[in-house]
Amino acid sequence: MWRYIARRFAYMLFTVWVISLISFILIQLPPGDFATKMVSQMLSGGAREVPPEVEAQLRAQYGLDQPVYVQYATWIGKIIFEGDFGYSFTYKRDAIELIFERLPMTFTISLFSVLFIWVVALPTGIYSAVNKYSLSDYLFTFVGFIGLAVPNFLLALILMFLSYKFSGQALIGLFSPEFADAPWSLAKVLDMLKHLWIPVIIVGMAGTASLIRTMRANLLDELNKPYVETARAKGLSELRLLWKYPVRHALNPFISTVGWTLPTLVGGEVIVSIVLNLPTSGPIILESLMQQDMYLSAGFILVLSTLTVVGTFVSDLLLAWLDPRIRLQ
Amino acid sequence: MGDILLDVIDLKIHFFTDEGVVKAVDGVDLAIERGKTLCLVGESGCGKSVTCRAFLRLIANPGRLVSGEMHFRSSTNGTIDLAQLDPKGSAIRDIRGKEIAMIFQEPMTSLSLMHTVGDQIMESVLLHENVLKPEARDRAIEMLQRVGIPKPDRLVDEYPFRLSGGMRQRAMIAMALSCNPTMLIADEPTTALDVTTQAQILDLMLDLQRQDNMTLMFITHDLGVVAEIADDVAVMYLGRIVERASVDTIFNAPQHPYTQALLRSIPKIAMQRDELDPIKGMVPSPYRRPSGCTFHPRCSRRIEACNRIVPSVTELAPGHTVRCLLYENIQETEALQHG
Ligand SMILES: Nc1ncnc2c1ncn2[C@@H]1O[C@H](COP(=O)(O)OP(=O)(O)OP(=O)(O)O)[C@@H](O)[C@H]1O
Ligand SMILES: [Mg+2]
């Protein structure tokens, strides 16, 4: 057990390191850098010409003239020892500030989406498996496929329209105007919850649909296993037996993947956040990548991937706690 | 015959699959005597497992109990026709595990690997008896001790995947016996084990059966095992019991051509007579069972009427019945079936 945890922990550290390396290199890959970007902006902004010395000076100012590995070492060193994620060229602020502004919102939406997915998908999947080929099974399958097939932005527009039609106000953003810049209070939290359901449903929709399918398939596999018949032959009622044995077994594959839901949710969130104008990480990551604002994008990617890897580590622990085969090996 | 515990009359269980109807059990008559060991033998696929699962109403879709009666002398509720019970209802659940318990073929997969052995044994006890957890736990340990598991007080908290096959099957037996059932059904409980373990488990089951005067229905296709443990034997072929007699009669004076062929096909017995002789032909497809007597295409003693008339049960001697046209008045049966 302890060896298992130690091994997982070592994997986790290693993975985070590799991710930091890859994300930094990837961000360097497109031709040009922030300095070229600024020069072209100056040109399109009306400057007739920008002397090469200015460009070189810009480059030196931001340390972009150093070799990549030096830039990487400086960057990662500052993160580890000073918690300094570098500077956002576009926002003219510390990257870490922006990350901490946006990340909690992303996290809130992700958390609620995961809850939404589980609360809706698990019972539905179980019901579908137990009542295989019933009318409701077909209905859930149909709805599930629609959920998978409808693009998120379309769903966002539809829900926005519906909320406007029925409540008279467009539930855009995460806060009503009067709360947008207000300090945190109970009223602000309630206001946020009122806005939150739209992005949560949209971001969670595809995940819900696919989790219903997986849960159904997993459980169908388990329902025919001999241990289920043993339990039935003991005289257990169908419901008790279902929860104690096959559902418990069918859950294992999910627990090991909980950690990986974060990146898919963040990916799904980008477009929705743009459409709904939400102050989350997705849009700002996209923007920083387009502007070649390297420290900001690298910082976001590093933090999100680290959280994902930590999430995976946590789900490994959870799995070990739930499954004696892992715990006792 | 003496005291009948379970009387099965004309039991039919058919599977309605997309490819067609499988008549897995097609008119089984079987009387099971209290306190005795009855062995059910027959080739793979003849319907042994389906028959005994039907007693506990464990047949799942697409299988259906088409017709038949199963009169069971309950120790608390008088005689009950199991065929009339709702398979999900509480009446059959009170019988499962408490009055009729079952042991399955695969000790490796018949226990949940995510729950401790003790948890799974205690569950039966807590379900059927009015006891609290500590008491149920003591009972589980006591049962594990009875089935010969060393250090039962430690093993009770162990997970099944840490036990050997033999130990798991012992744990299964402990689980099945934990509520002192009147009848125990064992569906090939030793097939998955090695020979030594097999012998130990058999001895154990016989011991326990004698101690508790329990009725044992034992399914196997190993005639060596039958010779060792059976009081009575029922021979099954493609969904019907073709012969039923005491173990001595079956081995020394079998009457049905299938029983005779089955005995000739066992190396140990045949070797003495110098005539190893496997049964001719293939087991027919489950979707297209032969008409009349289902054994007729492979039978060496068939007569003209065999492919037309389904033989009925003929009593040759008290406790010895056979389903074969050679032993019955064909005109009478034909008149009955076509009249
Ligand atoms: N779920 C099912 N769907 C369709 N047919 C089935 C199903 N279960 C059993 N059968 C059919 O019922 C027949 C009898 O099966 P059963 O398992 O009772 O045989 P058996 O005598 O126990 O064989 P074995 O010695 O191999 O255990 C087989 O022909 C099988 O094809
Ligand atoms: Mg079987």
Side-chain angles (χ1 to χ4, degrees):
Chain A
M1 168 78 166
W2 292 112
R3 277 188 47 201
Y4 167 83
I5 293 180
R7 207 168 55 225
R8 290 284 143 177
F9 193 74
Y11 280 152
M12 178 176 82
L13 291 183
F14 179 73
T15 319
V16 170
W17 175 68
V18 172
I19 287 174
S20 76
L21 202 62
I22 293 177
S23 54
F24 198 80
I25 292 171
L26 272 183
I27 286 156
Q28 307 273 345
L29 277 183
D33 53 25
F34 186 68
T36 22
K37 197 87 192 175
M38 277 190 56
V39 169
S40 69
Q41 266 173 10
M42 286 180 205
L43 286 173
S44 62
R48 247 179 291 127
E49 61 169 332
V50 180
E53 308 91 84
V54 173
E55 193 177 337
Q57 199 190 336
L58 269 173
R59 206 160 265 139
Q61 183 188 339
Y62 294 120
L64 298 174
D65 52 348
Q66 312 261 352
V68 178
Y69 60 87
V70 176
Q71 290 185 43
Y72 172 75
T74 324
W75 177 67
I76 199 79
K78 280 199 164 169
I79 289 176
I80 293 172
F81 297 112
E82 297 167 29
D84 178 3
F85 279 72
Y87 188 72
S88 162
F89 310 136
T90 30
Y91 285 82
K92 307 269 186 292
R93 289 168 65 189
D94 279 341
I96 186 80
E97 273 180 34
L98 288 159
I99 292 172
F100 273 118
E101 248 171 52
R102 297 300 185 109
L103 216 54
M105 282 301 140
T106 299
F107 230 70
T108 313
I109 292 183
S110 297
L111 191 72
F112 277 95
S113 300
V114 170
L115 282 179
F116 170 78
I117 291 176
W118 279 63
V119 166
V120 174
L122 288 186
T124 314
I126 293 170
Y127 184 87
S128 276
V130 173
N131 301 290
K132 183 172 64 149
Y133 303 141
S134 67
L135 192 65
S136 23
D137 180 25
Y138 284 121
L139 193 73
F140 289 137
T141 307
F142 179 69
V143 172
F145 278 129
I146 289 188
L148 274 177
V150 174
N152 279 352
F153 74 88
L154 191 62
L155 203 59
L157 291 174
I158 294 174
L159 285 184
M160 239 158 76
F161 170 74
L162 288 180
S163 73
Y164 181 70
K165 188 158 178 201
F166 289 109
S167 73
Q169 51 176 318
L171 290 175
I172 292 182
L174 269 187
F175 304 101
S176 307
E178 63 268 33
F179 286 109
D181 293 317
W184 281 104
S185 64
L186 188 64
K188 183 168 177 175
V189 172
L190 290 178
D191 180 63
M192 182 184 78
L193 289 178
K194 219 165 69 189
H195 288 74
L196 203 58
W197 64 272
I198 293 187
V200 162
I201 289 181
I202 298 166
V203 173
M205 184 59 90
T208 308
S210 73
L211 187 62
I212 290 177
R213 303 306 301 160
T214 336
M215 186 65 202
R216 181 181 181 275
N218 281 358
L219 192 58
L220 279 180
D221 270 358
E222 295 296 330
L223 283 177
N224 292 322
K225 295 267 171 78
Y227 68 83
V228 179
E229 192 165 43
T230 307
R232 195 171 285 131
K234 267 186 220 176
L236 239 59
S237 74
E238 286 298 310
L239 201 65
R240 269 179 70 182
L241 154 144
L242 185 70
W243 281 103
K244 181 163 178 187
Y245 295 104
V247 168
R248 177 79 192 276
H249 284 246
L251 277 181
N252 274 6
F254 290 120
I255 298 195
S256 51
T257 56
V258 181
W260 289 104
T261 41
L262 188 62
T264 46
L265 290 179
V266 170
E269 172 236 49
V270 177
I271 294 175
V272 179
S273 298
I274 292 173
V275 173
L276 294 177
N277 190 21
L278 303 180
T280 60
S281 323
I284 199 174
I285 296 177
L286 189 67
E287 187 194 339
S288 66
L289 283 171
M290 292 198 306
Q291 297 294 330
Q292 300 202 342
D293 189 351
M294 54 184 270
Y295 291 122
L296 187 57
S297 40
F300 260 116
I301 291 174
L302 182 67
V303 171
L304 280 175
S305 338
T306 307
L307 286 176
T308 304
V309 178
V310 172
T312 313
F313 178 67
V314 170
S315 55
D316 282 341
L317 292 187
L318 213 58
L319 197 62
W321 175 58
L322 274 177
D323 190 341
R325 281 167 293 185
I326 294 172
R327 192 182 341 133
L328 297 173
Q329 73 186 194
Chain B
M1 239 189 279
D3 183 7
I4 305 296
L5 179 66
L6 177 62
D7 196 9
V8 180
I9 302 165
D10 197 31
L11 181 67
K12 290 188 182 172
I13 290 143
H14 297 176
F15 287 86
F16 297 86
T17 68
D18 293 340
E19 291 84 33
V21 178
V22 180
K23 299 183 174 177
V25 173
D26 203 24
V28 158
D29 295 282
L30 191 62
I32 300 168
E33 211 174 331
R34 192 189 291 275
K36 294 281 178 65
T37 299
L38 172 74
C39 276
L40 184 59
V41 296
E43 280 166 303
S44 196
C46 69
K48 306 182 295 291
S49 300
V50 172
T51 304
C52 68
R53 276 170 176 72
F55 299 166
L56 285 180
R57 305 303 307 277
L58 291 174
I59 304 293
N61 270 332
R64 264 214 307 270
L65 195 152
V66 176
S67 68
E69 297 162 37
M70 297 183 279
H71 299 287
F72 176 68
R73 289 267 188 84
S74 159
S75 53
T76 47
N77 288 328
T79 303
I80 305 173
D81 183 359
L82 301 177
Q84 297 301 322
L85 301 181
D86 169 11
K88 294 198 169 151
S90 68
I92 189 69
R93 279 194 270 121
D94 286 343
I95 291 174
R96 289 179 189 158
K98 172 142 184 62
E99 301 215 46
I100 306 179
M102 197 150 173
I103 304 173
F104 296 93
Q105 179 169 356
E106 287 292 334
M108 292 303 180
T109 49
S110 293
L111 288 167
S112 163
L113 299 187
M114 308 245 300
H115 299 83
T116 61
V117 170
D119 177 5
Q120 295 180 68
I121 298 178
M122 283 160 64
E123 189 176 49
S124 281
V125 181
L126 288 169
L127 195 65
H128 293 297
E129 287 175 30
N130 203 359
V131 297
L132 295 173
K133 262 202 167 146
E135 226 174 307
R137 190 184 152 87
D138 289 344
R139 174 87 66 84
I141 296 175
E142 180 196 321
M143 288 313 300
L144 289 172
Q145 171 124 40
R146 257 191 97 188
V147 297
I149 282 180
K151 304 209 189 81
D153 46 337
R154 268 188 39 211
L155 206 120
V156 75
D157 295 319
E158 201 54 272
Y159 287 89
F161 61 91
R162 309 241 285 187
L163 309 181
S164 67
M167 283 297 154
R168 283 191 210 184
Q169 199 57 299
R170 281 173 198 264
M172 277 291 288
I173 295 173
M175 193 166 90
L177 298 186
S178 60
C179 295
N180 293 316
T182 328
M183 178 171 166
L184 177 65
I185 302 173
D187 189 353
E188 307 195 38
T190 58
T191 318
L193 306 173
D194 65 78
V195 185
T196 326
T197 320
Q198 207 169 337
Q200 289 168 354
I201 297 282
L202 277 183
D203 284 346
L204 170 69
M205 291 188 62
L206 277 188
D207 264 3
L208 295 171
Q209 187 232 352
R210 289 197 189 112
Q211 280 169 33
D212 297 357
N213 192 31
M214 190 172 56
T215 309
L216 177 60
M217 171 146 167
F218 197 99
I219 297 179
T220 177
H221 32 215
D222 184 343
L223 290 177
V225 171
V226 175
E228 200 174 322
I229 69 167
D231 295 311
D232 294 307
V233 181
V235 181
M236 195 163 181
Y237 186 80
L238 285 191
R240 292 185 192 130
I241 306 287
V242 294
E243 183 162 11
R244 141 93 200 229
S246 71
V247 65
D248 287 340
T249 314
I250 288 288
F251 279 99
N252 298 319
Q255 296 303 314
H256 196 284
Y258 176 63
T259 316
Q260 294 167 347
L262 202 61
L263 286 166
R264 276 201 306 274
S265 69
I266 326 168
K268 237 195 267 168
I269 297 174
M271 216 76 91
Q272 296 161 356
R273 303 192 200 143
D274 213 20
E275 49 172 31
L276 181 60
D277 183 8
I279 305 175
K280 282 189 283 294
M282 301 259 291
V283 179
S285 148
Y287 300 105
R288 265 174 279 110
R289 304 221 149 160
S291 59
C293 169
T294 45
F295 185 57
H296 81 260
R298 303 169 73 189
C299 182
S300 54
R301 295 169 66 197
R302 63 179 285 198
I303 52 177
E304 173 272 329
C306 289
N307 63 0
R308 284 189 287 117
I309 304 174
V310 178
S312 50
V313 180
T314 311
E315 183 158 19
L316 299 177
H320 187 182
T321 56
V322 67
R323 274 185 101 154
C324 176
L325 294 182
L326 294 173
Y327 303 96
E328 67 181 280
N329 184 335
I330 295 177
Q331 278 80 33
E332 229 172 65
T333 312
E334 194 164 24
L336 263 174
Q337 278 180 17
H338 294 277

